Amino acid sequence: MKHIALRSKSMRAGDRPYTCPGLGDRLHEAFKSFQYGAAHKTKVTMHLTSDKYGKPHKKKSWAEIMDLFPENSIDFKVWDVCNLPENEWLKYLEDQGIKADLCWYKDTKHMHPNDFETAIEISKYLKNPVLLEPSELKMMDSKYVTVQWNSTDPARNISSLLIDNIHGDLKNKGYEVVDIGEDPTTPLSKLSKILYNAKYHIGVDSGLMHLAMMYKKFKDIIIYNKVGGFVSHHLVRAKKNGVKIVPV
């Protein structure tokens, strides 16, 4: 068993907590823990400060995410503390009998003023990830591409005219276009099957980009990003690892 403590504080800027605010954050934390466990052939338990879990939508989200992974591969435990400096967070866990390690990102350390080297350099585990396969998989015969354009961050969204042009080009090439972002209530288990069987996934930097990277090879993912807009460390890493990034 390996114990990994998710960061208590933000790596990006300032003295503020890291709360796993978006679906993409939660998917990423789970997927990187799974990659570590797969590489070392061990189960991983993620340790969460309470601000990463307490809200109803987060509780529902974490439960759905856990169901995507093989049984006994990853798990999580929530602790009733938050916004602790990392050394105090690790000491708190140690006082509970848990020897946990933090992760850091060598490939994007330049983007994170508050990042620092720890016991686990996690970005190396994300270069050639072990992809997931949906449970009770039924192959779909139709030739289709998944898309998702409605990021919760408006700065990451692209124009409707460009989206229409992209869809038109895909249809001219004989693809059905399946928008997996239309209904936010669609279970992740269903979306995983749709993504797994798609020829490509095309969209913006969002939670469902992270879900796509759990099921699809990097070369089969295309992400549009505004020139001069926000670029996350996830997007920088995706480009380095082989995702096609289209500046618009």
Side-chain angles (χ1 to χ4, degrees), residues 19 21 50-62:
T19 64
S50 59
D51 50 4
K52 296 175 177 61
Y53 184 75
K55 294 181 179 180
H57 76 279
K58 290 184 179 180
K59 291 179 179 178
K60 180 177 182 295
S61 177
W62 277 112

Side-chain angles (χ1 to χ4, degrees), residues 83-97:
N83 201 25
L84 297 175
E86 307 303 345
N87 60 336
E88 293 182 20
W89 170 218
L90 292 179
K91 179 63 167 58
Y92 172 85
L93 291 173
E94 188 174 353
D95 289 344
Q96 315 308 311

Side-chain angles (χ1 to χ4, degrees), residues 131-151:
L131 297 179
L132 301 182
E133 183 174 293
S135 60
E136 302 176 6
L137 178 64
K138 290 185 178 180
M139 298 303 292
M140 302 177 185
D141 296 328
S142 60
K143 181 182 176 183
Y144 69 94
V145 170
T146 56
V147 300
Q148 193 242 340
W149 305 110
N150 56 338
S151 169

